mmCIF file of all heavy atoms in Angstrom:
data_model
loop_
_atom_site.group_PDB
_atom_site.id
_atom_site.type_symbol
_atom_site.label_atom_id
_atom_site.label_comp_id
_atom_site.label_asym_id
_atom_site.label_seq_id
_atom_site.Cartn_x
_atom_site.Cartn_y
_atom_site.Cartn_z
ATOM 1 N N MET A 1 0.574 9.073 18.375
ATOM 2 C CA MET A 1 1.575 9.906 18.982
ATOM 3 C C MET A 1 0.968 10.886 19.987
ATOM 4 O O MET A 1 1.689 11.573 20.667
ATOM 5 C CB MET A 1 2.344 10.661 17.909
ATOM 6 C CG MET A 1 3.701 10.039 17.666
ATOM 7 S SD MET A 1 4.446 10.685 16.179
ATOM 8 C CE MET A 1 3.827 9.533 14.987
ATOM 9 N N LYS A 35 -21.008 8.458 22.862
ATOM 10 C CA LYS A 35 -20.422 8.413 21.515
ATOM 11 C C LYS A 35 -21.547 8.457 20.495
ATOM 12 O O LYS A 35 -22.411 7.586 20.472
ATOM 13 C CB LYS A 35 -19.602 7.117 21.327
ATOM 14 C CG LYS A 35 -19.025 6.957 19.936
ATOM 15 C CD LYS A 35 -17.961 7.984 19.659
ATOM 16 C CE LYS A 35 -17.383 7.856 18.257
ATOM 17 N NZ LYS A 35 -16.371 8.890 18.001
ATOM 18 N N ARG A 71 -14.486 -0.024 22.739
ATOM 19 C CA ARG A 71 -13.529 0.782 21.971
ATOM 20 C C ARG A 71 -13.293 2.139 22.635
ATOM 21 O O ARG A 71 -12.188 2.670 22.595
ATOM 22 C CB ARG A 71 -14.007 0.949 20.534
ATOM 23 C CG ARG A 71 -14.093 -0.402 19.798
ATOM 24 C CD ARG A 71 -14.417 -0.255 18.330
ATOM 25 N NE ARG A 71 -13.275 0.292 17.621
ATOM 26 C CZ ARG A 71 -13.303 1.414 16.938
ATOM 27 N NH1 ARG A 71 -14.406 2.110 16.878
ATOM 28 N NH2 ARG A 71 -12.232 1.840 16.325
ATOM 29 N N LEU A 76 -9.769 3.557 21.489
ATOM 30 C CA LEU A 76 -9.731 3.372 20.032
ATOM 31 C C LEU A 76 -10.768 4.236 19.342
ATOM 32 O O LEU A 76 -10.669 4.530 18.159
ATOM 33 C CB LEU A 76 -9.969 1.905 19.673
ATOM 34 C CG LEU A 76 -8.821 0.972 20.008
ATOM 35 C CD1 LEU A 76 -9.250 -0.475 19.858
ATOM 36 C CD2 LEU A 76 -7.638 1.257 19.103
ATOM 37 N N ALA A 77 -11.801 4.616 20.089
ATOM 38 C CA ALA A 77 -12.766 5.576 19.577
ATOM 39 C C ALA A 77 -12.720 6.773 20.516
ATOM 40 O O ALA A 77 -12.447 6.611 21.706
ATOM 41 C CB ALA A 77 -14.161 4.958 19.550
ATOM 42 N N LEU A 78 -12.930 7.958 19.953
ATOM 43 C CA LEU A 78 -12.897 9.158 20.777
ATOM 44 C C LEU A 78 -14.312 9.487 21.225
ATOM 45 O O LEU A 78 -15.236 9.518 20.414
ATOM 46 C CB LEU A 78 -12.305 10.325 19.991
ATOM 47 C CG LEU A 78 -10.851 10.120 19.557
ATOM 48 C CD1 LEU A 78 -10.367 11.293 18.721
ATOM 49 C CD2 LEU A 78 -9.953 9.936 20.782
ATOM 50 N N ARG A 94 -1.657 5.834 25.102
ATOM 51 C CA ARG A 94 -0.942 4.761 24.406
ATOM 52 C C ARG A 94 -0.128 3.923 25.385
ATOM 53 O O ARG A 94 -0.100 2.694 25.302
ATOM 54 C CB ARG A 94 -0.042 5.361 23.327
ATOM 55 C CG ARG A 94 0.553 4.367 22.389
ATOM 56 C CD ARG A 94 1.030 5.049 21.128
ATOM 57 N NE ARG A 94 2.042 6.055 21.378
ATOM 58 C CZ ARG A 94 3.332 5.762 21.559
ATOM 59 N NH1 ARG A 94 3.730 4.518 21.550
ATOM 60 N NH2 ARG A 94 4.199 6.719 21.763
ATOM 61 N N TYR A 110 -2.956 -11.845 11.240
ATOM 62 C CA TYR A 110 -2.505 -11.798 9.855
ATOM 63 C C TYR A 110 -2.631 -13.180 9.224
ATOM 64 O O TYR A 110 -1.966 -14.114 9.656
ATOM 65 C CB TYR A 110 -1.067 -11.295 9.783
ATOM 66 C CG TYR A 110 -0.960 -9.874 10.259
ATOM 67 C CD1 TYR A 110 -0.641 -9.577 11.589
ATOM 68 C CD2 TYR A 110 -1.236 -8.822 9.399
ATOM 69 C CE1 TYR A 110 -0.590 -8.271 12.027
ATOM 70 C CE2 TYR A 110 -1.185 -7.511 9.836
ATOM 71 C CZ TYR A 110 -0.858 -7.241 11.145
ATOM 72 O OH TYR A 110 -0.821 -5.955 11.576
ATOM 73 N N GLU A 112 -1.574 -14.554 6.505
ATOM 74 C CA GLU A 112 -0.415 -15.191 5.859
ATOM 75 C C GLU A 112 0.582 -15.705 6.890
ATOM 76 O O GLU A 112 1.365 -16.601 6.596
ATOM 77 C CB GLU A 112 0.325 -14.199 4.957
ATOM 78 C CG GLU A 112 -0.513 -13.461 3.932
ATOM 79 C CD GLU A 112 -1.047 -12.138 4.478
ATOM 80 O OE1 GLU A 112 -1.080 -11.982 5.729
ATOM 81 O OE2 GLU A 112 -1.437 -11.283 3.670
ATOM 82 N N GLU A 117 4.141 -16.746 14.448
ATOM 83 C CA GLU A 117 4.546 -15.414 13.983
ATOM 84 C C GLU A 117 3.563 -14.338 14.438
ATOM 85 O O GLU A 117 3.953 -13.243 14.828
ATOM 86 C CB GLU A 117 4.686 -15.396 12.456
ATOM 87 C CG GLU A 117 5.954 -16.078 11.972
ATOM 88 C CD GLU A 117 5.949 -16.334 10.482
ATOM 89 O OE1 GLU A 117 4.853 -16.476 9.893
ATOM 90 O OE2 GLU A 117 7.034 -16.412 9.898
ATOM 91 N N LEU A 125 5.149 -6.075 20.283
ATOM 92 C CA LEU A 125 4.651 -4.699 20.371
ATOM 93 C C LEU A 125 4.395 -4.304 21.830
ATOM 94 O O LEU A 125 4.411 -3.136 22.178
ATOM 95 C CB LEU A 125 3.376 -4.537 19.549
ATOM 96 C CG LEU A 125 3.516 -4.731 18.033
ATOM 97 C CD1 LEU A 125 2.190 -4.494 17.345
ATOM 98 C CD2 LEU A 125 4.576 -3.810 17.451
ATOM 99 N N CYS A 166 -2.983 -13.916 21.539
ATOM 100 C CA CYS A 166 -2.335 -12.634 21.210
ATOM 101 C C CYS A 166 -2.766 -11.534 22.184
ATOM 102 O O CYS A 166 -2.019 -10.601 22.440
ATOM 103 C CB CYS A 166 -2.672 -12.205 19.780
ATOM 104 S SG CYS A 166 -1.945 -13.251 18.521
ATOM 105 N N ARG B 5 9.747 -2.233 18.657
ATOM 106 C CA ARG B 5 8.445 -2.271 17.983
ATOM 107 C C ARG B 5 8.586 -2.006 16.487
ATOM 108 O O ARG B 5 7.913 -2.631 15.668
ATOM 109 C CB ARG B 5 7.492 -1.255 18.620
ATOM 110 C CG ARG B 5 7.068 -1.643 20.022
ATOM 111 C CD ARG B 5 5.837 -0.887 20.457
ATOM 112 N NE ARG B 5 6.117 0.510 20.732
ATOM 113 C CZ ARG B 5 6.300 1.009 21.955
ATOM 114 N NH1 ARG B 5 6.215 0.215 23.012
ATOM 115 N NH2 ARG B 5 6.539 2.278 22.126
ATOM 116 N N ARG B 12 7.613 -8.371 10.455
ATOM 117 C CA ARG B 12 6.309 -8.915 10.068
ATOM 118 C C ARG B 12 6.067 -8.707 8.578
ATOM 119 O O ARG B 12 5.581 -9.601 7.877
ATOM 120 C CB ARG B 12 5.207 -8.215 10.861
ATOM 121 C CG ARG B 12 3.903 -8.925 10.775
ATOM 122 C CD ARG B 12 2.761 -7.968 10.964
ATOM 123 N NE ARG B 12 2.416 -7.359 9.702
ATOM 124 C CZ ARG B 12 1.965 -6.130 9.579
ATOM 125 N NH1 ARG B 12 1.842 -5.352 10.632
ATOM 126 N NH2 ARG B 12 1.652 -5.657 8.395
ATOM 127 N N GLN B 16 5.446 -11.602 5.882
ATOM 128 C CA GLN B 16 4.218 -11.649 5.080
ATOM 129 C C GLN B 16 4.541 -11.727 3.604
ATOM 130 O O GLN B 16 3.907 -12.443 2.842
ATOM 131 C CB GLN B 16 3.389 -10.386 5.318
ATOM 132 C CG GLN B 16 2.446 -10.486 6.475
ATOM 133 C CD GLN B 16 1.637 -9.202 6.599
ATOM 134 O OE1 GLN B 16 2.202 -8.132 6.689
ATOM 135 N NE2 GLN B 16 0.336 -9.320 6.604
ATOM 136 N N ARG B 19 5.644 -15.022 2.183
ATOM 137 C CA ARG B 19 4.554 -15.987 2.025
ATOM 138 C C ARG B 19 3.674 -15.691 0.822
ATOM 139 O O ARG B 19 2.664 -16.330 0.622
ATOM 140 C CB ARG B 19 3.649 -15.953 3.275
ATOM 141 C CG ARG B 19 4.347 -16.260 4.543
ATOM 142 C CD ARG B 19 4.434 -17.762 4.720
ATOM 143 N NE ARG B 19 5.500 -18.091 5.624
ATOM 144 C CZ ARG B 19 5.383 -18.061 6.934
ATOM 145 N NH1 ARG B 19 4.239 -17.752 7.468
ATOM 146 N NH2 ARG B 19 6.400 -18.360 7.698
ATOM 147 N N GLU B 198 -4.729 -4.082 6.227
ATOM 148 C CA GLU B 198 -4.674 -3.810 7.672
ATOM 149 C C GLU B 198 -5.955 -3.116 8.117
ATOM 150 O O GLU B 198 -6.532 -3.437 9.152
ATOM 151 C CB GLU B 198 -3.488 -2.893 8.007
ATOM 152 C CG GLU B 198 -2.140 -3.502 7.769
ATOM 153 C CD GLU B 198 -1.464 -3.932 9.061
ATOM 154 O OE1 GLU B 198 -2.165 -4.233 10.034
ATOM 155 O OE2 GLU B 198 -0.224 -3.989 9.072
ATOM 156 N N GLU B 205 -6.903 -2.137 13.750
ATOM 157 C CA GLU B 205 -7.583 -1.931 15.033
ATOM 158 C C GLU B 205 -6.812 -2.640 16.152
ATOM 159 O O GLU B 205 -6.578 -2.101 17.224
ATOM 160 C CB GLU B 205 -9.010 -2.498 14.926
ATOM 161 C CG GLU B 205 -9.726 -2.681 16.252
ATOM 162 C CD GLU B 205 -10.662 -1.539 16.570
ATOM 163 O OE1 GLU B 205 -10.550 -0.505 15.897
ATOM 164 O OE2 GLU B 205 -11.475 -1.683 17.490
ATOM 165 N N ARG B 206 -6.375 -3.862 15.832
ATOM 166 C CA ARG B 206 -5.638 -4.665 16.805
ATOM 167 C C ARG B 206 -4.269 -4.031 17.102
ATOM 168 O O ARG B 206 -3.827 -4.011 18.252
ATOM 169 C CB ARG B 206 -5.481 -6.080 16.228
ATOM 170 C CG ARG B 206 -4.935 -7.090 17.154
ATOM 171 C CD ARG B 206 -5.869 -7.326 18.320
ATOM 172 N NE ARG B 206 -5.184 -8.128 19.319
ATOM 173 C CZ ARG B 206 -4.289 -7.652 20.163
ATOM 174 N NH1 ARG B 206 -3.973 -6.371 20.134
ATOM 175 N NH2 ARG B 206 -3.707 -8.451 21.039
ATOM 176 N N PRO B 211 0.707 -0.717 22.414
ATOM 177 C CA PRO B 211 1.379 0.570 22.633
ATOM 178 C C PRO B 211 2.146 1.088 21.421
ATOM 179 O O PRO B 211 2.851 2.077 21.526
ATOM 180 C CB PRO B 211 2.349 0.271 23.788
ATOM 181 C CG PRO B 211 1.919 -1.020 24.363
ATOM 182 C CD PRO B 211 1.269 -1.775 23.263
ATOM 183 N N SER B 213 3.169 3.167 18.250
ATOM 184 C CA SER B 213 2.752 4.515 17.843
ATOM 185 C C SER B 213 2.598 4.563 16.324
ATOM 186 O O SER B 213 3.110 3.699 15.610
ATOM 187 C CB SER B 213 3.764 5.551 18.299
ATOM 188 O OG SER B 213 4.923 5.488 17.497
ATOM 189 N N GLY B 215 3.949 6.662 14.338
ATOM 190 C CA GLY B 215 5.265 6.858 13.742
ATOM 191 C C GLY B 215 6.015 5.538 13.610
ATOM 192 O O GLY B 215 6.678 5.285 12.613
ATOM 193 N N ARG B 381 -6.348 6.519 15.870
ATOM 194 C CA ARG B 381 -6.925 5.511 16.759
ATOM 195 C C ARG B 381 -8.416 5.403 16.436
ATOM 196 O O ARG B 381 -9.031 4.377 16.619
ATOM 197 C CB ARG B 381 -6.706 5.905 18.215
ATOM 198 C CG ARG B 381 -5.238 6.097 18.500
ATOM 199 C CD ARG B 381 -4.751 5.412 19.755
ATOM 200 N NE ARG B 381 -3.296 5.385 19.701
ATOM 201 C CZ ARG B 381 -2.589 4.287 19.691
ATOM 202 N NH1 ARG B 381 -3.175 3.128 19.781
ATOM 203 N NH2 ARG B 381 -1.294 4.324 19.617
ATOM 204 N N GLU B 382 -8.950 6.520 15.993
ATOM 205 C CA GLU B 382 -10.355 6.529 15.573
ATOM 206 C C GLU B 382 -10.450 5.880 14.200
ATOM 207 O O GLU B 382 -10.295 6.557 13.200
ATOM 208 C CB GLU B 382 -10.837 7.970 15.502
ATOM 209 C CG GLU B 382 -12.280 8.155 15.105
ATOM 210 C CD GLU B 382 -13.183 8.219 16.306
ATOM 211 O OE1 GLU B 382 -12.694 7.976 17.420
ATOM 212 O OE2 GLU B 382 -14.355 8.498 16.156
ATOM 213 N N ALA B 384 -13.040 3.814 13.192
ATOM 214 C CA ALA B 384 -14.398 3.411 12.822
ATOM 215 C C ALA B 384 -14.952 4.313 11.735
ATOM 216 O O ALA B 384 -14.566 5.445 11.635
ATOM 217 C CB ALA B 384 -15.305 3.487 14.030
#
Side-chain angles (χ1 to χ4, degrees):
Chain A
M1 257 167 270
K35 177 68 181 179
R71 297 186 71 239
L76 288 169
L78 297 177
R94 190 161 60 81
Y110 295 94
E112 308 91 341
E117 284 167 333
L125 296 182
C166 292
Chain B
R5 291 198 288 260
R12 194 207 86 213
Q16 272 182 305
R19 301 277 158 82
E198 294 256 27
E205 165 98 346
R206 189 64 191 78
S213 74
R381 303 227 165 241
E382 181 92 352

